Amino acid sequence: MMSAPFDVRRRQKFLYEDLYHKTRENQLALFDGQLLNKNVAESAQSQTVIYQFLYLEAFWIWMLDYTAGEPIAALAPRIAGIVDKFEEWNEVDQLYQQEAALEFPEDGPYEFQGAPQFSILSDYEDTLQLLSIAILLRDQRSALRIVHVLRSHRGSDGLFEQLIGAYVEDSQDLDTCIISKPYNTLLQVFYEEDDNAALALLQKYLKQWYPAMKNHPRWHDEHLHISEEGYAAYYGYWAFEAGATVFILDLDDSQIDHLVYPKDLVDYARTL
């Protein structure tokens, strides 16, 4: 049986077939180039940058394929490999932190701190996206691995605590997020007892989400910046954390029709 035409199966209107193939080819070339660089990087700091790059490029290839309409069942097994790269970045980053602690003893001794910095928008959103996808794929092992890397972040961010509630024994209720806009709006959904009011907050979050991403250094508005070679740093604009929230709270999303809401991924989670 032939697959549906690209324009039918894609999940967002900004991605057309030639852009998809050229962007994917470019992403793979970037990834392969950094694989070579990691073998010659001399400092722990350089290694940290390279390993973060490898994790994110692999993640964005996954997201690009999702946006292009790849079946979720085919995408699901690949998340574990991306979490591998997330863990590898964290491991290398610990070496960098240890070196920094020795070089600057006045800042205090080394203490484990997961590599993502929640005070940085791109780190925070990228991490929430990865965690939320693992939740929606019902990939408990991957979710637990992510939570383990982020164990140092416990008790610091309300939305993170709500998302991981099913994976920890000591869930914590916090009333704010490290980055307040737009994430406090989504956090409020967890505390709203009326479903209609909760859905109104969710719709508000979806409207706030993309404008709030304007400082994401990699992909915001990149569908408007296609290179002469025909590729772009556009992989899809997805508020996966909104989908994870709907799934966790078992909200009725039948009236949600927003570009950045991953409805079919939520539907997939509910079938498992």
Side-chain angles (χ1 to χ4, degrees):
M1 186 172 108
M2 294 183 64
S3 62
F6 188 87
D7 287 355
V8 174
R9 68 177 187 269
R10 66 182 178 181
R11 292 183 172 96
Q12 284 185 350
K13 62 184 180 182
F14 302 126
L15 189 64
Y16 53 88
E17 190 164 13
D18 190 54
L19 175 60
Y20 165 63
H21 289 298
K22 289 182 177 177
T23 297
R24 199 177 198 282
E25 181 181 353
N26 182 65
Q27 290 298 112
L28 290 170
L30 291 172
F31 187 88
D32 290 343
Q34 286 293 66
L35 279 177
L36 296 175
N37 289 339
K38 80 173 186 177
N39 296 322
V40 297
E42 296 181 353
S43 70
Q45 184 178 17
S46 297
Q47 287 279 331
T48 295
V49 172
I50 290 170
Y51 274 83
Q52 182 183 19
F53 184 95
L54 291 171
Y55 142 62
L56 287 173
E57 296 304 323
F59 185 31
W60 288 329
I61 291 170
W62 188 98
M63 198 181 305
L64 179 66
D65 288 344
Y66 174 77
T67 304
E70 286 294 306
I72 295 173
L75 291 167
R78 290 167 49 188
I79 280 294
I82 296 169
V83 177
D84 287 344
K85 293 176 174 58
F86 180 73
E87 288 181 323
E88 289 165 3
W89 167 41
N90 180 67
E91 290 168 4
V92 173
D93 190 68
Q94 298 314 306
L95 298 177
Y96 171 53
Q97 291 182 43
Q98 290 165 17
E99 284 190 4
L102 292 173
E103 186 175 355
F104 304 103
E106 65 273 17
D107 294 335
Y110 163 77
E111 293 183 4
F112 176 85
Q113 184 69 24
Q117 298 182 45
F118 276 8
S119 60
I120 299 174
L121 173 65
S122 54
D123 272 18
Y124 185 71
E125 177 61 27
D126 297 339
T127 305
L128 285 190
Q129 286 182 322
L130 182 65
L131 173 63
S132 297
I133 290 168
I135 291 169
L136 290 169
L137 294 176
R138 310 290 291 273
D139 186 343
Q140 183 175 11
R141 184 171 182 272
S142 289
L144 287 170
R145 290 164 64 198
I146 295 167
V147 171
H148 183 67
V149 167
L150 300 172
R151 60 193 182 275
S152 56
H153 295 52
R154 295 295 315 280
S156 65
D157 184 87
L159 182 55
F160 172 61
E161 290 293 335
Q162 292 299 327
L163 291 174
I164 67 171
Y167 304 97
V168 297
E169 296 180 355
D170 58 339
S171 59
Q172 303 178 42
D173 291 333
L174 304 174
D175 62 3
T176 190
C177 299
I178 291 175
I179 298 177
S180 59
K181 187 177 180 180
Y183 300 103
N184 278 350
T185 302
L186 188 59
L187 176 58
Q188 291 173 35
V189 176
F190 286 93
Y191 294 112
E192 181 54 65
E193 295 181 1
D194 179 77
D195 282 1
N196 289 330
L199 287 167
L201 283 168
L202 189 86
Q203 295 276 24
K204 180 181 178 181
Y205 177 75
L206 293 172
K207 291 178 181 178
Q208 292 176 334
W209 183 84
Y210 187 75
M213 295 298 114
K214 65 181 180 180
N215 291 323
H216 194 292
R218 182 58 179 261
W219 46 252
H220 186 268
D221 264 2
E222 285 301 312
H223 69 290
L224 301 175
H225 302 119
I226 300 171
S227 71
E228 292 182 0
E229 293 81 7
Y231 59 80
Y234 164 66
Y235 319 113
Y237 304 131
W238 297 107
F240 291 112
E241 63 278 7
T245 298
V246 167
F247 172 67
I248 291 168
L249 297 176
D250 195 25
L251 296 173
D252 179 3
D253 64 354
S254 59
Q255 300 304 309
I256 299 176
D257 182 20
H258 196 286
L259 179 75
V260 305
Y261 181 69
K263 190 174 189 308
D264 65 343
L265 194 52
V266 179
D267 292 341
Y268 179 85
R270 286 172 164 163
T271 66
L272 299 178

